[in-house]
Amino acid sequence: MNSGTSHKYQFKAYMLLFLVCNVQVGVGIFGFQRYIYKEAGHDAWMSVLLAGIATHLIVWIMVKTLEMHKSLDLYGIQHVLFGKWIGGVLSICMMLYFLTNMTTIVRTYIEAIQSWIFPDFPTWLLSLILLVLMVYGSLGGIRVILQTSFISFFLIIATSLFFNYPIRYVEWSRLLPIYDTTVQHIWVGAIKMGFTITGFEVIFMLYRHVQDKNKVMRYAQASVLFTNILYLFIMIVSIIYFSENQILRTIWGSINLLKIIKYPFLERIEFIAIPFWMLVVLPGIMQLAWNVLRGTVQLFGWNEKLTLYGLAVIVIVASSTLHNRGQVNQLNDFIGIYSVIVSYCYPLLLFALTYVYKWRKREKGSDAH
């Protein structure tokens, strides 16, 4: 990897369509329905839609902020707006956020493997397998992350087609009556949904490496739109397929939807889908690791390869300390709240401060003349 912006590490804007989507669609898609339905009932699809609209707005704000700073990434923007020391502390917080996110993704995916396929498989060994693949891919640089994200994008599309199968068994009346809950419940459900679709903040890190920056907005919004449509579709299918009691008791809602699909040559399609989903999870982990490495190089000048090995060890150890579903849920709840703050609230602050910074800079320039 390289923290610079040489041509070797740049890419076209259309690749954002795969990169952003891949971070948003990870392990959260396995069981997000229960948390939203618990808050908004059969109007949960409204919460998903509201969260999606908010995401489009925040992505617009992110790109506008980046355009004002031209070639800087998140760490550079924080340095400009907050100064060396406060900006450095905030950058360390962001690196810890990315690292915690990596641990959450790895451990949640392992929990799915252990719940559905290999109950007695050691957590540390599954972590080791995932992190070895992550290190191997990350050492290849941003190009490898781009290639794996491209492949996983089409795997997401292929898997989403299977969710058409349960529609033949649904009851459409479960969507009625529409707007049967309060605005507050829909709003809380949207916040819960925000826990699932965060990850688009990687735009702050990727923008610097895009060659045709004038097309970033177009492809970033297209990627987010694809993700929002996917989650909305799965949420609606879940509402009309499961009864109220079923959806509230189902931990892995999306996997249960796949479970009913049967072919003469394949009885349990989820046994294929979950292992293959590693190809979707892996590029997201690689992107988060890359974000951390960018920070350690800019702030401390650390060796990237040694730092990457250290990150892998930290994630393996942290994942192995979480022994049951309750602890995994606590970690997901914590990172969920942190993610909403980082993804939805913090960009608003950066945009406002950037606007003030640029305004004051113009005022000083006019005064000098």
Side-chain angles (χ1 to χ4, degrees):
M1 283 194 208
N2 192 301
S3 60
T5 54
S6 65
H7 181 74
K8 180 181 177 181
Y9 296 99
Q10 291 185 327
F11 56 87
K12 293 290 187 180
Y14 73 88
M15 292 303 297
L16 289 172
L17 181 64
F18 315 116
L19 289 165
V20 177
C21 166
N22 194 256
V23 182
Q24 287 187 282
V25 182
V27 292
I29 201 171
F30 286 162
F32 72 99
Q33 300 95 320
R34 181 167 64 109
Y35 303 102
I36 318 303
Y37 195 92
K38 186 177 180 181
E39 300 296 337
H42 63 263
D43 287 326
W45 64 272
M46 293 185 181
S47 295
V48 177
L49 186 61
L50 180 60
I53 293 171
T55 302
H56 281 289
L57 175 62
I58 295 299
V59 168
W60 183 86
I61 287 172
M62 283 182 176
V63 176
K64 288 300 179 182
T65 302
L66 288 162
E67 287 175 352
M68 286 189 281
H69 286 281
K70 296 183 180 179
S71 61
L72 296 179
D73 58 13
L74 177 60
Y75 301 127
I77 291 172
Q78 290 178 153
H79 180 82
V80 169
L81 296 179
F82 299 103
K84 178 180 178 181
W85 295 108
I86 297 178
V89 171
L90 289 172
S91 295
I92 292 172
C93 291
M94 289 302 302
M95 286 186 279
L96 290 174
Y97 163 71
F98 292 133
L99 182 59
T100 308
N101 227 329
M102 285 174 60
T103 306
T104 305
I105 293 170
V106 169
R107 188 61 186 89
T108 305
Y109 178 73
I110 290 171
E111 182 69 18
I113 291 283
Q114 292 172 333
S115 298
W116 285 89
I117 304 178
F118 303 116
D120 299 322
F121 209 99
T123 299
W124 70 267
L125 185 54
L126 281 170
S127 300
L128 181 63
I129 293 171
L130 267 173
L131 271 301
V132 166
L133 292 172
M134 183 274 290
V135 170
Y136 180 75
S138 298
L139 289 175
I142 188 65
R143 297 288 183 181
V144 175
I145 299 176
L146 291 172
Q147 292 162 3
T148 52
S149 296
F150 179 79
I151 295 170
S152 69
F153 178 79
F154 289 99
L155 182 60
I156 292 169
I157 293 176
T159 305
S160 63
L161 296 177
F162 287 116
F163 291 104
N164 288 308
Y165 190 92
I167 293 179
R168 66 185 70 179
Y169 305 110
V170 304
E171 292 185 25
W172 290 97
S173 61
R174 287 174 177 155
L175 284 173
L176 303 174
I178 295 176
Y179 194 58
D180 191 39
T181 186
T182 64
V183 174
Q184 181 182 358
H185 284 98
I186 293 174
W187 175 253
V188 174
I191 295 174
K192 293 283 185 179
M193 187 62 207
F195 295 178
T196 302
I197 59 175
T198 55
F200 54 89
E201 65 273 8
V202 296
I203 296 170
F204 272 133
M205 305 302 301
L206 296 171
Y207 181 85
R208 183 180 182 182
H209 294 273
V210 178
Q211 292 175 355
D212 44 344
K213 290 181 171 56
N214 59 312
K215 297 180 180 178
V216 167
M217 182 72 80
R218 180 192 313 171
Y219 289 106
Q221 294 286 6
S223 182
V224 170
L225 179 62
F226 171 81
T227 304
N228 291 335
I229 292 173
L230 176 62
Y231 277 113
L232 182 61
F233 171 66
I234 295 175
M235 186 75 247
I236 292 175
V237 172
S238 300
I239 292 171
I240 59 181
Y241 177 78
F242 295 112
S243 68
E244 180 178 356
N245 290 331
Q246 284 176 328
I247 198 170
L248 290 173
R249 291 200 310 265
T250 302
I251 297 175
W252 309 98
S254 299
I255 300 177
N256 275 279
L257 288 174
L258 295 177
K259 185 180 177 181
I260 68 170
I261 303 172
K262 289 182 172 59
Y263 295 103
F265 56 90
L266 183 62
E267 282 279 328
R268 302 292 297 273
I269 195 171
E270 72 273 17
F271 282 14
I272 304 297
I274 296 174
F276 263 94
W277 205 252
M278 183 184 292
L279 296 176
V280 176
V281 171
L282 192 58
I285 300 172
M286 290 164 61
Q287 280 196 66
L288 292 170
W290 183 72
N291 293 342
V292 177
L293 291 184
R294 288 290 305 278
T296 57
V297 169
Q298 290 185 36
L299 264 69
F300 310 113
W302 291 354
N303 180 276
E304 291 185 335
K305 186 177 291 188
L306 294 178
T307 305
L308 185 61
Y309 295 152
L311 292 178
V313 171
I314 291 171
V315 174
I316 291 172
V317 173
S319 300
S320 301
T321 59
L322 302 172
H323 303 293
N324 55 60
R325 177 68 193 173
Q327 292 175 333
V328 175
N329 282 339
Q330 287 179 353
L331 178 61
N332 274 280
D333 291 341
F334 169 75
I335 196 64
I337 296 171
Y338 199 175
S339 295
V340 168
I341 294 172
V342 170
S343 299
Y344 291 92
C345 302
Y346 193 47
L348 293 172
L349 175 63
L350 292 180
F351 179 74
L353 292 177
T354 298
Y355 187 83
V356 172
Y357 172 79
K358 291 294 181 181
W359 176 76
R360 292 181 64 183
K361 196 173 180 180
R362 284 195 301 268
E363 287 293 312
K364 288 181 179 178
S366 61
D367 290 342
H369 291 296

